[in-house]
Amino acid sequence: HLHQTEEKSMVELLILEENDREQFIKDNQFAFRYGATEEFGKRDAHYEEEGEIISRKTIEDSIDNGRAYRIVDDGRNAGGLVLHLEGDRGFLDLLFTSPELHGRGIGYAAWCEVERLYPQVKIWETCTPYFETRNIHFYINKCGFHAVEFFNVRHPDPNDPEEYTADENTETCGFDGMFRFEKQIDCK
């Protein structure tokens, strides 16, 4: 499964092998941590667990309940993604690229390959935190998603309502918000 990036290198999506699972988790955490540090500096308050933007459990649950792929560019691991599929609906649960490869079109090439591999999916969905401006740009401006919902303390995610429970003294919670995006694939 190959898709050309803007720099004419080839991107492959390969099913995650069990013996690469641990490195996949570490690479995912590093990429998310790098993104948050780039956005906020060292004093970031958006961690799921000590020192990590995304917890090991979140990644493991995603892998265990979905289809995990390595993004391979020119023979080396360049990132990864996890999909959940239900008939003609698909959910992009995780997508990350190695920070040293940012800006080379690898994430976009990987996304194009996902759409090519799963033509039966007519509506794709994903979520990203409100503070991840790089992700918001990527999903809307590059991949053609639309923001359709904003989960927050006044409008909790029905699949994860406890994440948005407000402190009794304030209207804020530990998690400030998440955008839900959708992309409808035009039937031709």
Side-chain angles (χ1 to χ4, degrees):
H1 311 305
L2 303 175
H3 195 281
Q4 278 193 302
T5 66
E6 293 156 8
E7 287 193 351
K8 306 293 187 235
S9 62
M10 302 304 281
V11 169
E12 296 178 273
L13 295 186
L14 302 179
I15 296 287
L16 180 65
E17 301 287 342
E18 187 59 37
N19 64 4
D20 188 30
R21 181 182 171 111
E22 185 63 25
Q23 191 61 50
F24 181 96
I25 292 167
K26 288 178 178 174
D27 291 351
N28 191 168
Q29 288 184 314
F30 177 74
F32 278 41
R33 194 168 60 241
Y34 177 93
T37 301
E38 188 177 66
E39 193 75 35
F40 294 108
K42 298 287 187 197
R43 298 182 304 107
D44 182 52
H46 302 89
Y47 292 97
E48 273 193 7
E49 70 180 24
E50 186 64 35
E52 298 295 349
I53 290 291
I54 187 168
S55 72
R56 168 177 288 276
K57 182 177 187 324
T58 297
I59 301 168
E60 288 179 338
D61 288 349
S62 179
I63 293 169
D64 291 343
N65 295 303
R67 297 183 190 188
Y69 292 90
R70 264 300 189 178
I71 302 168
V72 178
D73 177 53
D74 198 23
R76 66 177 175 161
N77 287 338
L81 58 87
V82 182
L83 308 171
H84 297 273
L85 303 168
E86 292 180 23
D88 66 353
R89 293 188 71 92
F91 187 81
L92 175 62
D93 200 30
L94 290 173
L95 172 61
F96 66 95
T97 58
S98 300
E100 67 271 16
L101 301 176
H102 283 173
R104 291 187 46 200
I106 290 170
Y108 178 69
W111 176 252
C112 291
E113 184 64 8
V114 167
E115 288 188 13
R116 190 189 72 76
L117 284 173
Y118 296 101
Q120 77 277 15
V121 175
K122 301 305 174 201
I123 299 177
W124 284 101
E125 182 179 341
T126 195
C127 289
T128 201
Y130 79 96
F131 58 84
E132 289 286 3
T133 57
R134 178 189 289 272
N135 292 0
I136 294 165
H137 161 73
F138 174 75
Y139 291 123
I140 292 176
N141 299 329
K142 296 290 282 185
C143 298
F145 281 78
H146 298 275
V148 294
E149 200 163 12
F150 180 61
F151 299 125
N152 59 78
V153 70
R154 291 186 182 90
H155 181 73
D157 180 348
N159 298 312
D160 200 9
E162 66 278 357
E163 192 71 55
Y164 300 88
T165 304
D167 177 290
E168 60 266 352
N169 300 319
T170 68
E171 289 192 359
T172 62
C173 58
F175 188 72
D176 296 322
M178 180 82 77
F179 285 106
R180 184 172 72 84
F181 296 112
E182 280 187 1
K183 179 177 184 179
Q184 294 195 18
I185 306 297
D186 295 329
C187 299
K188 293 186 170 116

